[in-house]
Every structure is written in C-alpha cells, then in structure tokens.
C-alpha cells in the first residue's frame, strides 16, 4: 500500500506509464498492417484498391497496360509528458515526447490488378517501419471487396482520365 503522502495513492504518477505503454503498443500493432498488405494485396483489382485506399494522388503509365499509382499519408502521436522527481522532489524536470511520420505508398497495376506494393517514408524505432502507411491499407485488409473484372477490362481507360 502506498505511503500517506505518495502521489500514486491519488492516481498521480502510477497511471501515466500504463497509458503511455498502451499508446505505444497500439501504434506498434499498426506497423504490421503495411507488411501484411505487401503480401495480401497483390491480385486485388484496381476498382477494389481505389475503393478502399481512395483515389491516388499520382499515377504514371510505365507500359501499355502497366501503371504505378501513389498515395500519401501522415501520422502523428499525441504528446506525452510528465515530470520526473529527483533529489527527494527538490528538482522535477519535465520530459515530453511525440512523433510525426510520413508515408508514400505506391502500387504497381498490370492488367487491372495489383502486382506489388511499395512504401517510402520515415521509419520509427518505436512504432516500426512504415507505421504511417497503416491508414492507407487498413480498410483494404479488414474489409476487402471482391470485384470480378470483365475480360476486356482496360485500367488505362479509367486511369488516363483527368481527376474530377
């Protein structure tokens, strides 16, 4: 049982590490989604990818039926701060931390289907490589569509058009 004057008795310092740990663990779990997408999204149709990831910010034709589409995402964590008592509470420096990450996802589309997924962006030792990309692929992995493409489907017909 905490001593009478101990701040943990009032819900002070004791809960902060638990909240910070929960935040770190939840963001670390998101970091595995981009790697799962590299494995699971190839074979997905172009309409299904655009349905879950949104309209790409850039597109480039690299062959007659070969396209590279790009999306961007930013992620930031809330600031965590707290004081650390030193020298019998005579000195209490404040420590704070936050993170901001960026991601650029590219998908290679051939014959109307995803053939590969690639990521470029900042990595974090705490949250894992490409954690910021989780927002781009989360819905694609959790709620995939399963569109059947007609035999004469031409992705270029839709990708060549200017953005509305």
């Amino acid at each position: 049982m905490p001593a009478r004057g101990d701040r943990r008795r009032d819900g002070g310092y004791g809960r902060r590490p638990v909240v910070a740990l929960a935040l770190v663990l939840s963001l670390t779990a998101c970091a595995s989604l981009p790697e799962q997408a590299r494995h699971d999204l190839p074979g997905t149709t172009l309409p299904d990818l655009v349905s879950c990831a949104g309209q790409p910010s850039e597109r480039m034709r690299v062959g007659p039926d070969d396209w590279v589409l790009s999306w961007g995402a930013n992620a930031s964590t809330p600031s965590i701060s707290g004081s650390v008592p030193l020298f019998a509470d005579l000195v209490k420096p404040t420590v704070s931390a936050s993170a901001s990450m960026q991601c650029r996802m590219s998908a290679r589309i051939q014959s109307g289907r995803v053939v590969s997924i690639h990521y470029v962006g900042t990595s974090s030792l705490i949250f894992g490589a490409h954690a910021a990309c989780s927002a781009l692929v989360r819905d694609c992995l959790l709620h995939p569509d399963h569109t059947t493409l007609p035999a004469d489907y031409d992705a270029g017909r839709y990708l060549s058009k200017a953005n509305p």
Side-chain angles (χ1 to χ4, degrees), residues 104-148:
R104 188 131 196 92
M105 178 180 84
S106 295
R108 185 94 181 249
I109 309 293
Q110 291 176 345
S111 301
R113 293 191 177 274
V114 175
V115 294
S116 62
I117 299 285
H118 302 278
Y119 305 105
V120 177
T122 56
S123 295
S124 168
L125 293 175
I126 295 173
F127 305 118
H130 313 304
C133 297
S134 295
L136 293 170
V137 297
R138 180 180 297 115
D139 203 51
C140 296
L141 295 171
L142 297 178
H143 308 286
D145 288 335
H146 300 286
T147 302
T148 302

Side-chain angles (χ1 to χ4, degrees), residues 3-19:
R4 184 174 176 98
D6 192 345
R7 286 189 167 261
R8 286 179 283 168
R9 181 177 185 163
D10 302 326
Y13 300 122
R15 292 185 186 165
R16 287 183 185 150
V18 173
V19 171

Side-chain angles (χ1 to χ4, degrees), residues 54-132:
Q55 185 173 6
S57 54
E58 295 178 27
R59 56 185 168 241
M60 178 190 315
R61 180 176 238 147
V62 293
D65 197 17
D66 196 355
W67 293 81
V68 176
L69 309 180
S70 298
W71 291 260
N74 296 315
S76 60
T77 61
S79 179
I80 300 171
S81 63
S83 59
V84 181
L86 299 173
F87 305 114
D89 282 347
L90 295 175
V91 178
K92 290 185 180 181
T94 301
V95 178
S96 65
S98 64
S100 177
M101 299 173 284
Q102 297 177 333
C103 175
R104 188 131 196 92
M105 178 180 84
S106 295
R108 185 94 181 249
I109 309 293
Q110 291 176 345
S111 301
R113 293 191 177 274
V114 175
V115 294
S116 62
I117 299 285
H118 302 278
Y119 305 105
V120 177
T122 56
S123 295
S124 168
L125 293 175
I126 295 173
F127 305 118
H130 313 304

